[in-house]
Amino acid sequence: MRHLIDPLDFSVEEIYSILKLADDIVANPNTYQNVCAHKKLATLFYEPSTRTRLSFEAAMLNLGGSVLGFSSADSSSASKGESIADTIRVISGYADIAAMRHPKEGAPLRAARYSTIPVINAGDGGHQHPTQTLTDLMTIRRRKGRLTDLTIGLCGDLKFGRTVHSLIKSLSRYENIRFVLISPDELRVPEYVISEVLAPKAIEFEQITSLEDAMPKLDILYMTRVQRERFFNEEDYIRLKDTYILNAEKMQLAKKDMAVLHPLPRVNEITLEVDDDPRAAYFEQAQNGVYVRMALIMTLLGLTQEDKAND
Amino acid sequence: MINIDSIQNGLVIDHIKAGTGMDLYHLAGLDKLDCCVAIIRNARSNKHGHKDIIKIESMIDLDLDVLGYVDPDITIDVIRDGVIVEKKKLAKPRRLVNVIKCKNPRCITSIEEGIEHIFYLSENGRYRCTYCEQEHGENRN
């Protein structure tokens, strides 16, 4: 049985199939409206994340399936001290597929080892968020028509930003990718991202602190929020949270066909005036998140045309 | 020079880095054995100058993963009827289960009951927790 725990669990070819299916869902939504009839998705959210949970639920409902679950640890059996291993074994009897969000890193992997239904990692602490990565890849591909030959700027919290680490790992598998890593010195990407992901593949990258300097080079600008919950120290958070703000003035420095992505929610790192710029792709990105989760659910449940042909 | 009798049937853990024999004795659980065990510290070694040696007068099942993790350069001699019948060379194990513990407070291993602490050997030759991928001994906070 397949799970999605790490963004690299799928090969480049498998990701291509999922993105292609997502494109087809965009083009022909009616074809898919009953594909998951009588199937149930369990959303096991041990920490609140309304956006991701609703995206998963919308995806399953669009496919004609049903959803059940909980949206915080307080309303789950975890508050009574039940282990992940026990919870997923019980849920395996209630649903056909599960999406798990957990504040502790590695919780969905633990669940997958005991589960008899496919488990999707919907974010595990500061570790991985593979469906966000699929969403990002889909948005880049739809905007640029390719996942190769791109200069990608990642800006903001590159230390704790799990979406950033996952995206770097995933894009590193494509040809001719360059990264411009824009962050304050305190929030640079962890050393292992460089030594284990970028350096072994000789991927071109630069680490800079100026967003303005980076703008003209970029095909994609991936903005991130400095997240309060990732800091142990409130002072550090307050000092760094306003470091990078993207506004109309900075957008003038960018290529005409650049795309701005953001995993959302934003706080103030992208000003509202940028929303009207055709290069702003972040709301479209959120919409793509539903389509790509639909494609993912179908794939993990073996409901794609390819799976049927192989039956 | 102290003489320690040769053993007739048992195991000799040889080429242990000088000074680490006692740690290995505890980590490999040899302190729980009821057979005769000799720890020789700072024995002369042609290769390394000095080394530690542990002799065990019994054919026990040694956890080679633990030994390989502590010191991949050690060798194990299997002795039957006073003759070395096998020399085992160790290597760093690719996977460690319940040998070391993940110290990351954000890792699921910090709260989940009954969970095994599993580490894998990463490309840089160090061990990473299979759950949170933090390197053993690394502090990302």
Side-chain angles (χ1 to χ4, degrees):
Chain A
M1 184 196 317
R2 292 297 298 267
H3 306 282
L4 177 61
I5 305 300
D6 183 293
L8 301 191
D9 284 349
F10 287 131
S11 66
V12 168
E13 292 75 24
E14 286 170 324
I15 285 181
Y16 174 73
S17 299
I18 290 172
L19 298 184
K20 215 169 110 214
L21 175 58
D23 283 345
D24 197 56
I25 291 170
V26 174
N28 307 293
N30 293 342
T31 311
Y32 297 91
Q33 63 189 4
N34 284 310
V35 177
C36 283
H38 312 297
K39 300 280 184 193
K40 292 187 285 289
L41 165 75
T43 51
L44 314 176
F45 276 54
Y46 289 81
E47 66 176 359
S49 175
T50 312
R51 189 179 309 271
T52 305
R53 186 169 55 84
L54 293 184
S55 179
F56 269 107
E57 293 185 1
M60 193 55 169
L61 295 172
N62 286 347
L63 293 168
S66 316
V67 291
L68 68 165
F70 52 85
S71 55
S72 78
D74 297 342
S75 54
S76 78
S77 47
S79 62
K80 297 178 190 138
E82 187 176 55
S83 66
I84 297 282
D86 282 4
T87 301
I88 196 67
R89 278 181 282 195
V90 172
I91 298 296
S92 292
Y94 297 167
D96 300 283
I97 186 166
M100 175 181 283
R101 172 94 160 203
H102 201 288
K104 293 291 183 185
E105 301 172 10
L109 175 61
R110 173 72 171 167
R113 291 192 167 158
Y114 286 86
S115 181
T116 56
I117 58 174
V119 174
I120 302 169
N121 181 358
D124 57 339
H127 188 216
Q128 304 281 13
H129 195 356
T131 57
Q132 180 65 52
T133 307
L134 286 177
T135 303
D136 300 340
L137 294 177
M138 179 179 174
T139 307
I140 294 171
R141 187 167 170 269
R142 286 181 69 82
R143 276 282 172 143
K144 308 301 294 182
R146 63 186 191 274
L147 289 171
T148 59
D149 306 290
L150 293 167
T151 299
I152 293 137
L154 298 135
C155 178
D157 174 6
L158 308 188
K159 182 180 181 186
F160 296 110
R162 61 185 165 194
T163 56
V164 167
H165 307 161
S166 299
L167 188 58
I168 292 175
K169 274 190 191 174
S170 296
L171 283 169
S172 296
R173 302 197 289 184
Y174 297 88
E175 295 290 319
N176 204 16
I177 294 290
R178 291 166 302 279
F179 291 105
V180 183
L181 306 171
I182 311 145
S183 73
D185 288 339
E186 295 94 330
L187 294 177
R188 283 181 169 204
V189 289
E191 193 278 331
Y192 81 90
V193 173
I194 293 170
S195 65
E196 292 181 27
V197 183
L198 300 176
K201 292 180 180 167
I203 292 166
E204 205 181 307
F205 73 95
E206 55 180 316
Q207 291 183 288
I208 61 174
T209 54
S210 166
L211 177 55
E212 287 88 340
D213 289 351
M215 289 303 276
K217 308 174 196 175
L218 307 178
D219 298 310
I220 299 288
L221 172 60
Y222 196 91
M223 293 293 293
T224 64
R225 174 169 64 101
V226 176
Q227 297 184 71
R228 182 191 294 264
E229 59 267 33
R230 302 293 168 219
F231 284 86
F232 284 131
N233 184 336
E234 181 76 7
E235 277 174 32
D236 285 349
Y237 167 70
I238 289 169
R239 186 167 54 82
L240 294 170
K241 75 182 171 66
D242 293 335
T243 310
Y244 299 106
I245 293 175
L246 181 66
N247 55 22
E249 198 182 327
K250 290 194 185 99
M251 287 297 285
Q252 284 181 1
L253 303 169
K255 289 181 187 172
K256 297 283 172 236
D257 62 347
M258 186 194 70
V260 181
L261 275 69
H262 189 302
L264 300 181
R266 71 172 150 186
V267 181
N268 61 348
E269 59 276 9
I270 301 177
T271 59
L272 298 181
E273 62 198 1
V274 179
D275 296 355
D276 297 328
D277 191 306
R279 291 169 290 185
Y282 30 92
F283 291 118
E284 173 187 316
Q285 188 183 355
Q287 176 69 65
N288 287 341
V290 176
Y291 297 128
V292 89
R293 286 180 177 100
M294 291 168 73
L296 174 65
I297 290 168
M298 284 180 61
T299 302
L300 291 178
L301 287 176
L303 298 171
T304 63
Q305 291 306 316
E306 276 174 30
D307 289 315
K308 284 182 182 154
N310 292 334
D311 273 352
Chain B
M1 174 102 182
I2 306 170
N3 277 323
I4 307 276
D5 284 348
S6 340
I7 50 177
Q8 285 301 301
N9 289 293
L11 304 166
V12 175
I13 308 175
D14 200 356
H15 303 109
I16 304 168
K17 195 177 166 198
T20 63
M22 208 58 206
D23 295 339
L24 196 126
Y25 173 75
H26 289 292
L27 269 167
L30 304 181
D31 52 342
K32 296 177 185 79
L33 296 177
D34 51 12
C35 63
C36 183
V37 179
I39 304 174
I40 305 162
R41 297 191 62 186
N42 296 322
R44 257 179 242 125
S45 159
N46 292 334
K47 215 170 166 186
H48 306 291
H50 288 92
K51 64 180 179 179
D52 290 0
I53 302 169
I54 298 176
K55 295 188 175 188
I56 305 161
E57 201 176 46
S58 179
M59 283 300 177
I60 60 158
D61 274 335
L62 278 173
D63 188 335
L64 300 184
D65 284 351
V66 173
L67 299 180
Y69 165 70
V70 176
D71 187 348
D73 294 329
I74 65 179
T75 51
I76 295 164
D77 299 337
V78 181
I79 297 168
R80 284 186 206 282
D81 300 325
V83 180
I84 298 176
V85 293
E86 189 184 355
K87 266 186 181 288
K88 290 181 183 170
K89 288 224 167 224
L90 297 185
K92 273 192 166 182
R94 295 176 67 179
R95 194 163 177 267
L96 288 174
V97 180
N98 287 337
V99 177
I100 45 178
K101 291 204 160 203
C102 182
K103 305 267 174 61
N104 178 5
R106 296 186 176 102
C107 180
I108 186 64
T109 53
S110 67
I111 58 161
E112 176 88 347
E113 204 177 319
I115 193 167
E116 289 178 319
H117 286 249
I118 305 169
F119 282 75
Y120 65 92
L121 188 61
S122 68
E123 283 174 21
N124 65 5
R126 297 175 72 174
Y127 285 94
R128 280 189 186 285
C129 172
T130 196
Y131 292 102
C132 68
E133 296 181 87
Q134 185 157 311
E135 263 184 21
H136 185 60
E138 179 193 18
N139 185 358
R140 285 192 207 151
N141 298 324

